[in-house]
Amino acid sequence: VTGASFVVFNGALKTSSGFLAKSSIVEDGLMVQITQETMESLRQALRDKEDFKITCGKMDAGDVKEYVDICWVENEEKTNKG
C-alpha cells in the first residue's frame, strides 16, 4: 500500500510497449501510465462512481503484478483529510 498526495493518470501508453500499465512514484505522488482504452474505461467508471482496478506490469510477466485500485467510500472519516 502506497500513500500519495496526488495521482496522475497518463493515457499515452502504447499497447505495443508490452505493458498492461505502469505505475511509478513521482515526488510525493503516483503516476499511472495506461492505454487509451483503459483511460476511457477509467473515465466512465469515475462518471458512474464505480470502483476500478488497473493491473500494472508486463503482459507476459505471469503472476507478478501490481494493482492500482480506485475505490469509492461512504465513510470519509477514515480517508486522508488533506
Side-chain angles (χ1 to χ4, degrees), residues 11-63:
L13 185 68
K14 304 290 182 204
T15 52
S16 61
S17 69
F19 284 91
L20 297 166
K22 294 163 92 175
S23 64
S24 55
I25 296 179
V26 180
E27 296 179 13
D28 59 344
L30 179 69
M31 181 170 67
V32 185
Q33 296 175 339
I34 55 179
T35 62
Q36 189 173 9
E37 294 81 15
T38 304
M39 179 65 87
E40 285 301 318
S41 298
L42 172 59
R43 285 180 179 158
Q44 189 60 51
L46 291 173
R47 282 186 210 108
D48 297 341
K49 294 186 179 179
E50 295 176 343
D51 293 351
F52 194 79
K53 181 180 234 175
I54 300 171
T55 304
C56 299
K58 287 213 171 252
M59 290 182 189
D60 58 359
D63 291 341

Side-chain angles (χ1 to χ4, degrees), residues 56-73:
C56 299
K58 287 213 171 252
M59 290 182 189
D60 58 359
D63 291 341
V64 181
K65 299 273 189 268
E66 292 180 2
Y67 300 96
V68 175
D69 288 321
I70 297 136
C71 304
W72 292 89
V73 296

